[in-house]
Amino acid sequence: MQSFEEVRSHVSGHHTLGSNEPYLISIELPLDGTRRQGVYLSELEDDDGRRFLRVSSPVAPLGDIAPQRCLRFNWTQRVGYLALNDLDSVPYLQLCENRPYAGLDSAELDRLIQTIGQLADRLERLAAQTDAH
């Protein structure tokens, strides 16, 4: 895949698009049972003009989650990292992965969407358990 439009074309063939903006699309990824996880795909550009695909999924409001736990998580991950972004003016943890278009094919894109969506869902459930205690 060489462009965001190729990503959009592939994803829309497999999922119903929520947001569908020039450089942002979203889907609801079906998981086990009735659970669904929002996954967002957007395009980034670095200082040299190279374009990247960002796949992200919300995890939980930052709230009482210790930043040290997030950094430890990032250290152990091979795919995905935690980042902070505001959603409706609330600091929110997002699970993200950035990939250059070069070397990104449809199978890798599908795998990446599944990996980020499933892992974000597990982290969301863990965060909810932590809040309950």
Side-chain angles (χ1 to χ4, degrees):
M1 298 199 169
Q2 299 300 311
S3 70
F4 194 76
E5 286 310 312
E6 287 181 50
V7 168
R8 181 189 320 275
S9 176
H10 176 75
V11 171
S12 66
H14 295 84
H15 303 278
T16 300
L17 299 183
S19 296
N20 190 2
E21 299 174 19
Y23 294 100
L24 171 70
I25 56 177
S26 69
I27 62 170
E28 282 198 9
L29 183 67
L31 301 169
D32 298 334
T34 60
R35 293 188 64 81
R36 300 178 78 71
Q37 185 70 27
V39 177
Y40 297 83
L41 295 91
S42 57
E43 184 172 276
L44 305 171
E45 189 173 311
D46 70 7
D47 294 338
D48 296 330
R50 290 182 298 168
R51 293 173 298 135
F52 294 80
L53 178 68
R54 171 175 284 167
V55 179
S56 64
S57 185
V59 173
L62 183 58
D64 295 330
I65 298 173
Q68 297 91 334
R69 290 181 69 197
C70 297
L71 292 173
R72 284 189 182 104
F73 170 86
N74 283 349
W75 182 257
T76 63
Q77 287 306 111
R78 286 170 177 64
V79 174
Y81 61 91
L82 290 172
L84 188 62
N85 190 24
D86 286 349
L87 291 177
D88 297 326
S89 300
V90 174
Y92 224 87
L93 285 177
Q94 300 268 335
L95 183 65
C96 306
E97 177 73 10
N98 298 335
R99 293 287 176 90
Y101 286 111
L104 184 66
D105 62 17
S106 58
E108 179 64 10
L109 176 57
D110 292 340
R111 188 186 75 73
L112 188 57
I113 290 169
Q114 286 292 326
T115 300
I116 295 298
Q118 290 171 350
L119 182 54
D121 180 63
R122 284 197 303 273
L123 291 172
E124 184 178 331
R125 286 185 277 153
L126 283 171
Q129 290 173 355
T130 302
D131 287 346
H133 292 109

